[in-house]
């Protein structure tokens, strides 16, 4: 089957997750044309170059600017508006190149990416969504996960609903499984790269710290005031500063430092959180300000006892978290740490249904940890 696959380029979690799906599709003999923006373009090009049936096209996507532990909305808006004309012409050129190549996809898969989705809409192709964001809009969440930031929750949920409406099916990757309230929705375990599946847990003495906002100048001085050793990724520099080791990006070193960490301190991004839970490493999640999807992840992490949630990087919350590691480690022992089998089974079923022209299925036959249970048990939407 010919498949157009769109990957959003903001953050690397979408790219590492999509790599797993793409490798399975290519190994199954499908022809896949990937459209992707940002750093994810280079990452996927390096990982999949030379694979039979694989082609790659760089498009222009939206980019966020950060200040401290928050998104700088005004600067993000200014930069994206400034780059708007260039982005428009680059994406139109990508569309024309795809037409000249006479690549005629039969299916579109989107990891929260709009270019491929809009292509599928324009050509009346079935679109399969694979991401973690749709958990906001297609699942029912209890009041303790939404009450504190109800406006942020409603805003984020609306934005997600408008991103990929009317997809053929939604595969939502998650380590928590709230009730599914909408048809054509299946919850699947976190999608894990092979390096994580091969890793073996050997707790050491260091705390792994991952910070995507390189402008957070207060982080290292704060960690230096805390007991223990810290390995910090994401600040864009390397070196030793007291008890803090600043690490350059290395996928191999990062996985090794993750599996041997006694704990992780990071943002609320889903990919690293899913990897830490899989390896049973306690995690303190500190979401970006006003990023409700990240806050939702963090609140479920805390609710399940796998770690803790904090609103900002501060000494008291980190010390409190480190004082409860035995408690979190005990809770994590109950997590089953599944592999990617549910993803592959669901994808195989969806491809087979598309191939014979079936209408969108309300639920899939393949076993999964969460599905819509039919109209008689459908849950009402939030007010």
């Amino acid at each position: 089957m010919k498949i157009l696959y769109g990957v959003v380029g903001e953050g690397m979690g979408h790219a590492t997750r999509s790599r797993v799906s793409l490798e399975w599709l290519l190994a199954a003999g499908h022809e896949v044309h990937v459209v992707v923006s940002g750093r994810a373009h280079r990452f996927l090009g390096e990982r999949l170059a030379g694979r039979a049936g694989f082609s790659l096209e760089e498009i222009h996507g939206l980019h966020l600017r950060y200040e401290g532990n928050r998104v700088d909305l005004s600067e993000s808006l200014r930069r994206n508006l400034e780059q708007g004309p260039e982005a428009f012409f680059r994406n139109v050129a990508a569309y024309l190149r795809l037409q000249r190549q006479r690549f005629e996809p039969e299916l579109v898969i989107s990891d929260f990416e709009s270019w491929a989705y809009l292509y599928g809409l324009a050509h009346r192709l079935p679109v399969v969504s694979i991401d973690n964001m749709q958990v906001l809009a297609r699942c029912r969440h209890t009041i303790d996960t939404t009450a504190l930031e109800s406006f942020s929750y409603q805003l984020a949920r609306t934005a997600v609903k408008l991103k990929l409406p009317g997809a053929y099916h939604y595969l939502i990757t998650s380590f928590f499984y709230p009730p599914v309230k909408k048809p054509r929705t299946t919850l699947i375990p976190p999608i894990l790269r092979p390096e994580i599946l091969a890793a073996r847990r050997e707790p050491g003495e260091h705390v792994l710290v991952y910070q995507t906002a390189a402008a957070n100048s207060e982080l290292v001085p704060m960690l230096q005031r805390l007991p223990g050793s810290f390995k910090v990724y994401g600040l864009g520099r390397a070196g030793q500063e007291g008890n803090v080791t600043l690490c350059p990006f290395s996928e191999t070193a990062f996985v090794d430092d993750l599996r041997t960490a006694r704990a992780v301190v990071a943002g609320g991004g889903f990919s690293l959180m899913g990897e830490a839970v899989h390896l049973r490493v306690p995690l303190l999640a500190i979401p970006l300000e006003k990023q409700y999807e990240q806050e939702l992840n963090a609140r479920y992490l805390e609710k399940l006892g796998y770690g803790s949630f904090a609103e900002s990087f501060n000494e008291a919350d980190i010390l409190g978290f480190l004082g409860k590691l035995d408690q979190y480690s005990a809770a994590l022992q109950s997590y089953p740490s599944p592999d990617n089998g549910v993803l592959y089974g669901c994808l195989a079923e969806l491809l087979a249904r598309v191939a014979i022209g079936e209408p969108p299925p309300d639920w899939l036959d393949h076993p999964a940890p969460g599905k819509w249970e039919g109209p008689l048990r459908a849950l009402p939407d939030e007010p």
Side-chain angles (χ1 to χ4, degrees):
M1 180 178 288
K2 292 185 176 182
I3 300 169
L4 177 65
Y5 202 121
V7 183
V8 73
E10 186 64 33
M12 290 301 293
H14 301 276
T16 57
R17 176 171 60 218
S18 295
R19 168 202 168 190
V20 173
S21 303
L22 288 165
E23 287 180 332
W24 182 84
L25 290 168
L26 294 169
H30 300 286
E31 186 177 347
V32 187
H33 183 83
V34 179
V35 291
V36 59
S37 61
R39 290 188 300 152
H41 175 265
R42 179 178 178 181
F43 173 84
L44 291 175
E46 291 174 346
R47 295 303 186 279
L48 301 173
R51 294 287 297 268
F54 171 74
S55 57
L56 185 67
E57 178 77 46
E58 184 172 13
I59 58 174
H60 194 286
L62 298 177
H63 297 286
L64 299 178
R65 304 284 290 185
Y66 300 93
E67 183 174 345
N69 194 45
R70 67 181 180 87
V71 176
D72 188 330
L73 293 176
S74 60
E75 181 62 15
S76 297
L77 180 62
R78 186 190 70 79
R79 290 290 299 271
N80 282 296
L81 288 174
E82 187 179 84
Q83 297 172 1
E86 177 189 349
F88 174 78
F89 287 112
R90 178 184 291 185
N91 288 346
V92 169
Y95 175 83
L96 294 175
R97 280 193 295 273
L98 186 62
Q99 296 297 99
R100 287 197 298 269
Q101 294 169 12
R102 299 189 181 280
F103 183 84
E104 298 179 354
E106 303 158 77
L107 172 70
V108 172
I109 299 177
S110 174
D111 190 322
F112 213 62
E113 195 282 313
S114 297
W115 193 99
Y117 167 78
L118 292 173
Y119 183 98
L121 200 65
H123 292 265
R124 299 183 179 180
L125 298 173
V127 177
V128 171
S129 168
I130 305 178
D131 64 47
N132 60 289
M133 305 288 289
Q134 293 292 339
V135 74
L136 280 169
R138 306 191 72 81
C139 293
R140 179 86 175 172
H141 303 288
T142 53
I143 191 65
D144 62 309
T145 61
T146 60
L148 296 180
E149 290 289 340
S150 59
F151 176 75
S152 296
Y153 170 68
Q154 295 296 339
L155 184 63
R157 188 170 69 98
T158 300
V160 169
K161 287 173 69 174
L162 295 174
K163 181 70 173 181
L164 300 172
Y168 186 84
H169 203 83
Y170 296 85
L171 296 179
I172 303 175
T173 177
S174 182
F175 66 87
F176 54 92
Y177 307 114
V180 175
K181 68 182 183 184
K182 294 187 178 182
R184 308 194 318 279
T185 305
T186 303
L187 297 178
I188 63 175
I191 299 173
L192 301 167
R193 46 188 163 152
E195 293 83 0
I196 294 295
L197 291 174
R200 294 294 174 263
R201 177 82 172 118
E202 294 178 326
E205 296 301 319
H206 67 275
V207 175
L208 175 65
V209 180
Y210 181 67
Q211 169 68 347
T212 56
N216 191 347
S217 59
E218 299 300 318
L219 178 62
V220 172
M222 182 190 65
L223 294 175
Q224 290 174 329
R225 295 191 293 268
L226 297 174
S229 62
F230 299 86
K231 293 187 177 183
V232 180
Y233 284 82
L235 292 185
R237 62 186 194 273
Q240 190 72 37
E241 299 185 15
N243 63 333
V244 178
T245 304
L246 300 174
C247 304
F249 175 75
S250 165
E251 189 173 9
T252 302
F254 183 85
V255 172
D256 192 58
D257 286 337
L258 175 60
R259 73 175 186 86
T260 58
R262 66 188 181 107
V264 176
V265 176
F270 177 79
S271 293
L272 176 54
M273 198 177 292
E275 292 177 349
V277 169
H278 174 82
L279 291 173
R280 302 189 175 100
V281 186
L283 187 145
L284 172 62
I286 308 171
L288 290 169
E289 292 181 30
K290 301 187 185 302
Q291 288 286 91
Y292 192 81
E293 180 267 333
Q294 291 195 1
E295 183 174 330
L296 190 72
N297 296 336
R299 289 186 179 278
Y300 271 110
L301 178 86
E302 185 172 78
K303 183 177 181 179
L304 291 167
Y306 299 160
S308 187
F309 157 62
E311 294 184 353
S312 64
F313 282 92
N314 64 78
E315 295 176 49
D317 283 331
I318 294 176
L319 284 172
F321 163 70
L322 294 177
K324 298 179 180 178
L325 294 187
D326 289 344
Q327 175 184 325
Y328 301 136
S329 295
L332 282 163
Q333 298 312 306
S334 65
Y335 184 73
S337 295
D339 59 18
N340 296 318
V342 177
L343 166 71
Y344 300 151
C346 290
L347 270 179
E349 181 178 340
L350 286 166
L351 292 172
R353 289 175 180 269
V354 169
I356 61 175
E358 277 196 11
D362 286 342
W363 55 80
L364 300 181
D365 294 332
H366 194 277
K371 301 180 182 183
W372 187 63
E373 297 192 24
L376 295 180
R377 299 188 61 186
L379 295 166
D381 205 351
E382 287 93 345

